[in-house]
Amino acid sequence: MTTLFTSDHEWLQVEGDVATIGITDYAQTQLGDVVFVELPKVGRSLKQAEAAATVESVKAASDVYAPVTGEVIEVNDALVADPSLVNSDPGKAAWFFKLRLADKSELDGLMDEAAYKAHTA
C-alpha cells in the first residue's frame, strides 16, 4: 500500500485501483475541533482537484479535494456520525471516501511522505 499526499493536505492510500482519501494530521491541527463533515455521494465521478467533501470546525469550513480523478465507491458513514474522528485519528479511522482510479498516472504528481513533511515544515 502506498501513501501519497497533496499540497491541499489530503492523504491517499492506494491499493490496486482504489484510493482511500482523508485529510492529514497537519490539516486537522490547522482546523481545530471538527464539528461537521459532508461526504460525496457513492457513484459520483470526480475530477482531480474538484471539491469532493466539506469539513467544518469551530474555526472554519474547508473543502476536501479529490486528489485524483475517479468514481466514489464508498464513503465513511462513521465520520458523519462522529466528526471528531478527524481530530482523534486523521490517518486511519477518519478516512473520507474511496475512489476507483480513472488514471493512475495522476498519482505521479503527488508527494511521498518525505516531500509532504518538507512541504509543511
Side-chain angles (χ1 to χ4, degrees), residues 5-6 23 25 37 81 90 97 103 105-106 113 116:
F5 300 87
T6 71
I23 65 170
D25 186 56
V37 173
F97 56 94
D103 182 0
S105 70
E106 291 176 345
E113 188 169 358
Y116 182 71

Side-chain angles (χ1 to χ4, degrees), residues 15-121:
E15 274 189 278
D17 65 345
V18 175
T20 303
I21 290 118
I23 65 170
T24 65
D25 186 56
Y26 177 86
Q28 70 84 20
T29 300
Q30 297 298 309
L31 285 166
D33 293 334
V34 174
V35 296
F36 177 79
V37 173
E38 182 178 6
L39 301 175
K41 301 277 187 215
V42 172
R44 181 177 169 192
S45 293
L46 295 168
K47 295 189 183 305
Q48 187 176 37
E50 182 179 354
T54 303
V55 59
E56 292 182 21
S57 72
V58 294
K59 290 183 181 176
S62 182
D63 288 329
V64 176
Y65 300 98
V68 291
T69 301
E71 178 185 347
V72 178
I73 59 169
E74 188 176 348
V75 297
N76 187 355
D77 291 326
L79 196 57
V80 175
D82 183 7
S84 70
L85 285 173
V86 173
N87 297 114
S88 62
D89 195 5
K92 290 193 177 196
W95 60 275
F96 279 60
F97 56 94
K98 295 184 180 187
L99 281 179
R100 183 170 317 283
L101 302 174
D103 182 0
K104 283 188 167 186
S105 70
E106 291 176 345
L107 298 172
D108 296 339
L110 302 176
M111 294 180 269
D112 64 15
E113 188 169 358
Y116 182 71
K117 283 184 177 178
H119 174 72
T120 57

